[in-house]
Amino acid sequence: MNTAIPQKNLEEMLDRAVREVTKQAAGVCLFQGGGELSEDLCSVHISFNRGFHTSLTLCADTALLTRMAQNALEEETPTTQDLEDFCKEYFNILCGKIAAILFRYTKIPARFSVPEFYRGRYTPEEHQMQFVLTYADGNQQSAHLTHYVPQGGENNGSAAK
């Protein structure tokens, strides 16, 4: 998809989706240009396996994800399993919105894997980072959405040029 979506447009699409879904699903407003991530992190990852050959990883401060889960689940103290389940569902919703936006722009249907949850920072093997969108909330907690493309070439079906 290198020729389908210029990187700037893709970044704008992903940014809009992240902000909208995060506000709607978790009641948290994110602002671009966040600071550094803390040492206590969680990551959620998907791979687009039909239509596009890219992947996305959201790596965020555990405190931010916990607050998002608290808001969405309306629970004061979500369990570790609640946090994982929330993160997977949140990312599934986010990636569904992204797939819909990509389809409207390219007319290429996209399918993505089931979200995978990790404690700490996750980087997919055999992929290289193309760009990172950074976010912060009002509590100085941060999140990074990283767009990865397969290693080894420009015309490999990635999502941007």
Side-chain angles (χ1 to χ4, degrees):
M1 176 161 78
N2 281 356
T3 58
I5 302 175
Q7 182 173 325
K8 182 177 189 251
N9 293 25
L10 181 61
E11 289 177 8
E12 290 170 358
M13 290 175 196
L14 294 178
D15 177 55
R16 184 174 67 241
V18 167
R19 291 179 197 232
E20 288 176 7
V21 169
T22 304
K23 179 66 176 162
Q24 291 171 355
V28 172
C29 291
L30 294 178
F31 306 96
Q32 252 198 355
E36 292 297 313
L37 294 169
S38 72
E39 294 294 316
D40 186 12
L41 304 171
C42 295
S43 298
V44 190
H45 175 79
I46 64 96
S47 294
F48 284 93
N49 48 28
R50 186 171 142 217
F52 307 106
H53 302 286
T54 64
S55 64
L56 294 171
T57 299
L58 177 74
C59 185
D61 293 335
T62 301
L64 173 60
L65 294 172
T66 299
R67 192 164 42 100
M68 290 169 59
Q70 288 170 327
N71 291 347
L73 301 173
E74 297 180 356
E75 292 197 22
E76 185 66 30
T77 312
T79 66
T80 302
Q81 188 62 52
D82 289 339
L83 178 62
E84 180 176 338
D85 292 345
F86 165 76
C87 289
K88 288 178 178 178
E89 185 59 28
Y90 161 78
F91 210 53
N92 193 53
I93 293 166
L94 175 60
C95 292
K97 182 166 186 82
I98 290 167
I101 291 169
L102 291 173
F103 180 77
R104 281 195 303 273
Y105 191 88
T106 65
K107 303 301 183 219
I108 299 170
R111 299 289 181 262
F112 53 90
S113 64
V114 173
E116 298 173 33
F117 179 83
Y118 301 92
R119 287 282 177 180
R121 185 180 305 272
Y122 175 77
T123 303
E125 293 180 12
E126 300 181 14
H127 282 75
Q128 61 191 24
M129 179 186 68
Q130 186 175 36
F131 61 82
V132 179
L133 299 177
T134 60
Y135 297 95
D137 68 352
N139 296 332
Q140 303 306 314
Q141 296 164 342
S142 298
H144 293 178
L145 181 70
T146 306
H147 180 260
Y148 292 95
V149 295
Q151 290 178 349
E154 288 298 313
N155 295 317
N156 53 15
S158 65
K161 34 173 164 174

